[in-house]
Amino acid sequence: MIKRIVQWIGAALLALSLFPAQASAAGYTQTRYPIVLVHGFLGWDAIGPYDYWFGIADTLRKDGAQVHIAQVTAANSTEVRGEQLLAYVKRVMAATGAQKVNLIGHSHGGPTVRYVASVAPQLVASVTSVGGVHKGAPLADIVRGTVAPGSFSETALASIVNGVAGTIAFLSGDSSTQMSTAALASMTTAGASAFNTRHPQGVPRSACGEGDYQVKGVHYFSWSGAQPFTNLLDPIDASMALLSLAFRGEKNDGLVGSCSSRLGRVIRDDYAMNHLDEVNQVAGLVNLFETNPKTIFRQQANRLREMGL
């Protein structure tokens, strides 16, 4: 009996050891078109060796993906960021000879990549939104409702946020002008609604449904988390848990509601992740009892590969 148990355990361990090798097979993430990663509000491409997409780009490249990390303004409107991204996409295409790109945006990067797909669909094979703020965020509404436009309070708050955004931009080598009030306007419910009227592709028509999977040749996907506190060692998790109170019981990742994150084909909107876990932050301190975010990005790259994208 003991011998049989030992043999069974050995077989199980062998099977487990083979699984990563299969998932890491050469070409697993090799999409037809380059992948462009687009950061969110107060984001960056890389500050020294520390990038916004902590370990994700390298994980995708390991098995064949061609990955480019965009730098757009840390704090500005969706349209301004979108125009910057459009220029970046054209540079990527010129440098690589690619006819299209696969865009993946996190947080405010979600609407940003949607903008490019809306105004230049011929350049985009797919749009993937990760924790995207597509129907506004309660925190933005609270700030806008508390701080009157043109008031001293708004000026003071904008100065602080612009200062933070400017520091991030300086450290990452970006010289863009920071406009936190424009970013705030884009992320309120009213601002998101107005943007969706102009650029409706992939946005669900119901409060918490799915959107069109494909519009003008562009494929739309999304996923997001729904657990604000996930790791005791992560210094940001407590803040995520506190900010989640603004949702009044609505499922959320600490900054974006699950329903607001939904776009096109919804892969999942309830991963046990918070808003930063979705991009493997902070420094990989994510939920040990949930699928690793790097694995989810790999799976999406493989999904795009299998679709010929």
Side-chain angles (χ1 to χ4, degrees):
M1 174 64 75
I2 294 177
K3 183 178 180 181
R4 182 173 298 177
I5 292 174
V6 170
Q7 290 174 336
W8 184 87
I9 292 173
L13 290 174
L14 177 62
L16 288 173
S17 68
L18 291 175
F19 179 77
Q22 293 171 348
S24 300
Y28 182 80
T29 60
Q30 190 171 355
T31 55
R32 177 181 180 184
Y33 303 112
I35 293 172
V36 176
L37 302 177
V38 185
H39 65 75
F41 176 64
L42 296 184
W44 64 94
D45 53 356
I47 297 177
Y50 193 89
D51 67 80
Y52 182 90
W53 309 84
F54 193 78
I56 290 171
D58 287 342
T59 295
L60 293 174
R61 290 173 180 138
K62 179 182 177 182
D63 292 317
Q66 183 180 154
V67 183
H68 301 267
I69 303 178
Q71 172 68 63
V72 296
T73 305
N76 213 318
S77 70
T78 303
E79 288 84 356
V80 168
R81 286 164 50 94
E83 283 295 321
Q84 293 171 346
L85 177 60
L86 178 58
Y88 180 81
V89 165
K90 290 178 179 178
R91 292 197 297 272
V92 168
M93 294 174 64
T96 63
Q99 296 179 326
K100 296 183 178 184
V101 295
N102 291 300
L103 297 174
I104 301 180
H106 175 243
S107 191
H108 195 193
T112 303
V113 298
R114 283 175 47 210
Y115 175 87
V116 175
S118 175
V119 301
Q122 73 279 8
L123 306 183
V124 182
S126 71
V127 160
T128 301
S129 171
V130 182
V133 54
H134 300 296
K135 293 191 175 181
L139 185 60
D141 289 340
I142 290 171
V143 173
R144 185 71 287 171
T146 304
V147 182
S151 66
F152 173 78
S153 297
E154 182 190 57
T155 301
L157 180 61
S159 179
I160 293 171
V161 178
N162 287 340
V164 172
T167 300
I168 291 171
F170 172 77
L171 293 174
S172 60
D174 177 40
S175 59
S176 301
T177 300
Q178 308 300 319
M179 291 290 293
S180 59
T181 52
L184 175 65
S186 289
M187 291 186 284
T188 61
T189 300
S193 178
F195 179 81
N196 292 343
T197 298
R198 297 188 295 271
H199 309 284
Q201 296 88 343
V203 178
R205 296 175 181 83
S206 61
C208 201
E210 287 190 302
D212 292 332
Y213 286 16
Q214 185 177 1
V215 183
K216 294 183 178 180
V218 181
H219 297 263
Y220 289 83
F221 306 86
S222 63
W223 76 77
S224 61
Q227 187 170 319
F229 196 98
T230 61
N231 192 316
L232 285 170
L233 299 179
D234 189 336
I236 304 299
D237 274 28
S239 298
M240 291 288 106
L242 181 62
L243 293 171
S244 72
L245 298 177
F247 291 85
R248 299 180 180 180
E250 177 191 351
K251 189 169 63 173
N252 68 90
D253 65 6
L255 287 177
V256 175
S258 295
C259 290
S260 182
S261 75
R262 295 171 70 91
L263 182 78
R265 176 183 172 184
V266 179
I267 296 167
R268 273 184 66 180
D269 69 353
D270 60 352
Y271 283 107
M273 300 178 179
N274 63 36
H275 198 65
L276 297 185
D277 290 345
E278 293 160 356
V279 288
N280 203 36
Q281 294 285 1
V282 173
L285 293 174
V286 297
N287 193 341
L288 298 177
F289 304 99
E290 177 58 278
T291 305
N292 190 278
K294 291 189 290 186
T295 298
I296 298 172
F297 275 86
R298 281 173 46 77
Q299 291 171 343
Q300 177 63 358
N302 182 257
R303 184 178 291 112
L304 296 176
R305 176 184 180 275
E306 293 300 312
M307 293 176 66
L309 304 176

